[in-house]
Amino acid sequence: MSTERELQISPIVQESVMHNSRTLSNLQSLTASLFGVSAGILGLESYSGFLLYLVFSLLTAVLVYLLRVAPTSLSSGKPPLDTSRYFRSPFDFWTGGLMNGLAGYILTWTLFYGMVRA
């Protein structure tokens, strides 16, 4: 947890945290649709299609963490995998986009699967 002194030195602005969460959600929804296109074109079915979504969604979160969150968090002395400086909780960052993008993924997956198989 952050101490009062740390919050006075570099305060966490809730509007910025909400903006970061919205931006991450938009990115994950967009990439979920792109993953659905790829799963449909590859002709994946059942568990393999959902596994592709799970793996690539987590890969997207890892890339965002490595490129945007980690450089400034680690340099400010935060522990590895800590996202509290930019997001509400680590759970929201790492798994929050899984449910948000699932509907778009399934929609584009079935659309492109049907177009390729027709």
Side-chain angles (χ1 to χ4, degrees):
M1 279 299 190
S2 299
T3 64
E4 186 176 336
R5 183 170 187 216
E6 288 175 355
L7 290 175
Q8 289 175 347
I9 293 171
S10 67
I12 297 173
V13 181
Q14 290 303 318
E15 290 81 19
S16 297
V17 171
M18 289 183 344
H19 176 266
N20 294 340
S21 296
R22 271 193 313 263
T23 303
L24 183 63
S25 177
N26 290 339
L27 174 68
Q28 288 172 330
S29 294
L30 175 67
T31 57
S33 295
L34 294 174
F35 301 151
V37 169
S38 63
I41 290 173
L42 291 173
L44 299 179
E45 296 178 353
S46 189
Y47 292 118
S48 60
F50 286 108
L51 184 63
L52 180 126
Y53 174 67
L54 178 68
V55 167
F56 280 103
S57 292
L58 292 177
L59 179 66
T60 301
V62 167
L63 287 174
V64 169
Y65 175 78
L66 289 176
L67 296 175
R68 292 308 233 171
V69 177
T72 55
S73 287
L74 294 176
S75 66
S76 68
K78 298 281 185 184
L81 301 179
D82 181 33
T83 60
S84 63
R85 184 173 174 165
Y86 299 103
F87 297 94
R88 288 187 191 124
S89 70
F91 182 77
D92 285 343
F93 177 78
W94 293 107
T95 61
L98 289 176
M99 287 299 143
N100 293 340
L102 186 61
Y105 173 77
I106 292 173
L107 180 70
T108 54
W109 177 20
T110 55
L111 174 70
F112 278 84
Y113 183 86
M115 288 172 47
V116 169
R117 298 290 176 194

